[in-house]
Amino acid sequence: MSASARVPASATCVIAGGGPAGMIAGLLLARAGVDVLVLEKHADFLRDFRGDTIHPSSLQLLADLGLAEEFAQLPANHVTGVEFPSEDGTSVRLVDFSRLRHPYPYIAFAPQWEFLDLLARAGEREPRFTLLTEVEATGLVRGAPGGEDASTGGATAGTIVPADQVTGITYRDHRTGGTGTITARLTIAADGRTSVLREDAGLPMIDIPVGFDVWWFRIPARNADGTPIEVGETLLPRSSPDGSLFILIPRGDYVQAGMLIPKGSDAARRAEGIEVLRSRVASAVPDLAGALDSLTLEDVKLLNVAANRARRWWVRGFLAIGDAAHAMSPVGGVGVNLAVQDGAAAANALAEPLRTGTVRDSDLARLQRRRMVPTVLTQAAQRGPAALISEALSAGTGLALPRRVAEVFRRVPALSAVPAYLVGVGVRPERVRPARAHRARTRR
């Protein structure tokens, strides 16, 4: 098939994937004067299992971009802490974001499609930013035909492009059925944890075992008679008497519920029937018992949990970021925020090389070293809680803080700021350089 008429033949930078990493990188590069093309294979951003947590570090980044007020208009609620059950039957606040010395001492829960739509609207205001939906990157292009100059493919004019250098992508336009190629100085894979481009680049992966999956469903914050249920502003990990584990996220008029199940047990759990699930939720959270009559198994979606990272994030002319470079477990809800930080770091580091046409291997290697540190440390911090979750699910014991640990946090509540900082701010949060935080409309 011929190339799609609506897809340009070249761009300075082409980004595959319109998730948090790709959209932040594209917006910042465009504001820095780089012609950017972002490809999103879906028609919109509405998806199951989009992470909805926007942490303080990402909220600060939005403020740097001048988007804080616009974000504040989104349908979101703020969570200020996480309480855990204790062995003595009470609960203790283990994580308290309100203790952070930060402009945004909370986690904002906003539908990710709303967050991405915000970034897309900001991109529309940038003359160098183009977002094309229903266009899917299908593979990488390497070298240049006949060894010719490919000035948009990572080299400056008059340079012979090495045969192994990535110089763009192949694509399929799902709207028109057309296929074609796009050449670019740099190709960025932000196409998720099953990244086609990462596979084509041959980047070796490190897999991290995770022993659980998640059932994801919504519970109305109203009883069957219409009376409201108070859900508060605290994350509520809960256990049922049979050892089932739940993470409950207050979302105003509903509760987003995640039931943690042993990996690979989806079919067996569904065979038990909806009444078993309703009973488990009601026994773990009696306050929600009156809101479960409408819950069906069709409402329950499976999140197949995976954790990994690429040993190397780049090859010449190509870079992977976000989930394409590192899939995170859901512990702490940090995946979105690491992706946002990756996108900001990539734009900070590569805007000038892209403008001058001199993106070097050393630029990409330096960026990986910078972002590998928070990736490795965050995944290491996730492994302990993930192992405890897997053990609790296997034993059917539920989760509970040891009495001594709970007592320490009750006596010294300021300790709850430590995990709040590690989760909410994290290792090496990125900031937008002031000169690139505002529109570059005059640059053409």
Side-chain angles (χ1 to χ4, degrees):
M1 295 184 182
S2 61
S4 172
R6 72 188 184 108
V7 181
S10 66
T12 304
C13 178
V14 62
I15 300 174
M23 293 296 286
I24 286 288
L27 176 60
L28 280 171
L29 286 171
R31 287 189 176 187
V34 176
D35 289 312
V36 178
L37 177 62
V38 179
L39 306 181
E40 169 54 51
K41 67 180 179 180
H42 297 284
D44 54 39
F45 298 122
L46 187 61
R47 235 71 85 240
D48 287 330
F49 313 130
R50 289 273 198 192
D52 291 349
T53 55
I54 310 298
H55 290 210
S57 54
S58 293
L59 292 169
Q60 179 66 70
L61 194 61
L62 287 176
D64 290 346
L65 290 166
L67 298 176
E69 291 185 7
E70 192 171 348
F71 180 83
Q73 302 306 310
L74 299 183
N77 68 304
H78 298 167
V79 168
T80 57
V82 181
E83 293 187 0
F84 273 78
S86 172
E87 289 178 343
D88 61 9
T90 63
S91 63
V92 60
R93 180 161 288 209
L94 191 65
V95 183
D96 192 344
F97 298 104
S98 67
R99 292 183 176 275
L100 294 178
R101 295 181 178 179
H102 193 278
Y104 301 95
Y106 53 82
I107 287 181
F109 281 84
Q112 192 179 122
W113 55 87
E114 297 277 7
F115 174 58
L116 295 175
D117 279 338
L118 180 155
L119 297 177
R121 290 193 298 272
E124 289 175 356
R125 299 192 285 266
E126 305 304 325
R128 295 186 179 275
F129 179 96
T130 301
L131 169 66
L132 292 180
T133 58
E134 297 182 86
V135 179
E136 180 177 7
T138 56
L140 297 174
V141 176
R142 293 174 174 84
E148 298 170 358
D149 164 57
S151 59
T152 58
T156 54
T159 300
I160 300 300
V161 177
D164 63 347
Q165 178 170 326
V166 173
T167 53
I169 63 163
T170 58
Y171 70 86
R172 176 176 296 278
D173 186 335
H174 293 291
R175 189 179 302 178
T176 68
T179 60
T181 62
I182 304 168
T183 59
R185 287 179 182 161
L186 178 67
T187 297
I188 296 180
D191 51 343
R193 62 180 183 173
T194 59
S195 172
V196 171
L197 299 189
R198 180 193 68 212
E199 292 298 314
D200 196 346
L203 302 184
M205 302 296 294
I206 299 173
D207 290 318
I208 301 170
V210 180
F212 62 91
D213 292 323
V214 180
W215 269 7
W216 205 238
F217 52 95
R218 294 182 178 186
I219 304 171
R222 289 185 175 276
N223 292 303
D225 61 5
T227 56
I229 299 172
E230 180 60 44
V231 295
E233 293 187 345
T234 303
L235 291 178
L236 305 170
R238 297 289 182 88
S239 302
S240 63
D242 70 351
S244 297
L245 304 179
F246 297 88
I247 302 296
L248 304 175
I249 303 170
R251 296 296 301 268
D253 59 351
Y254 68 93
V255 175
Q256 185 71 60
M259 178 180 174
L260 282 62
I261 63 174
K263 180 160 282 296
S265 66
D266 174 64
R269 293 294 178 116
R270 289 182 185 275
E272 294 174 342
I274 187 60
E275 290 302 329
V276 172
L277 174 59
R278 290 174 182 168
S279 175
R280 284 172 172 154
V281 176
S283 62
V285 198
D287 290 347
L288 295 175
L292 298 172
D293 290 347
S294 62
L295 180 64
T296 69
L297 285 177
E298 288 70 30
D299 300 321
V300 177
K301 310 301 181 183
L302 174 67
L303 173 59
N304 185 8
V305 175
N308 58 43
R309 65 177 179 270
R311 294 180 183 273
R312 178 168 167 169
W313 297 13
W314 62 276
V315 295
R316 184 167 297 176
F318 171 84
L319 173 69
I321 60 174
D323 282 0
H326 48 72
M328 312 299 289
S329 100
V331 173
V334 296
V336 172
N337 298 280
L338 279 177
V340 167
Q341 306 302 314
D342 281 359
N348 282 341
L350 300 175
E352 185 62 27
L354 280 167
R355 281 199 302 267
T356 60
T358 56
V359 179
R360 299 181 175 89
D361 292 353
S362 58
D363 296 321
L364 301 176
R366 188 179 305 112
L367 175 63
Q368 177 183 339
R369 288 194 298 272
R370 178 175 181 83
R371 294 307 305 161
M372 185 65 87
V373 172
T375 298
V376 171
L377 292 179
T378 302
Q379 288 181 330
Q382 288 183 319
R383 294 185 75 165
L388 290 176
I389 290 170
S390 298
E391 291 172 7
L393 289 173
S394 178
T397 57
L399 281 180
L401 286 176
R403 292 174 184 268
R404 291 182 178 179
V405 174
E407 186 61 26
V408 168
F409 274 84
R410 289 194 185 99
R411 291 186 177 183
V412 191
L415 286 175
S416 60
V418 176
Y421 184 89
L422 294 175
V423 171
V425 179
V427 180
R428 189 170 281 173
E430 304 289 345
R431 297 292 299 272
V432 180
R433 295 178 184 176
R436 296 176 186 162
H438 303 286
R439 301 186 190 94
R441 286 182 171 175
T442 59
R443 297 179 180 176
R444 295 297 291 175

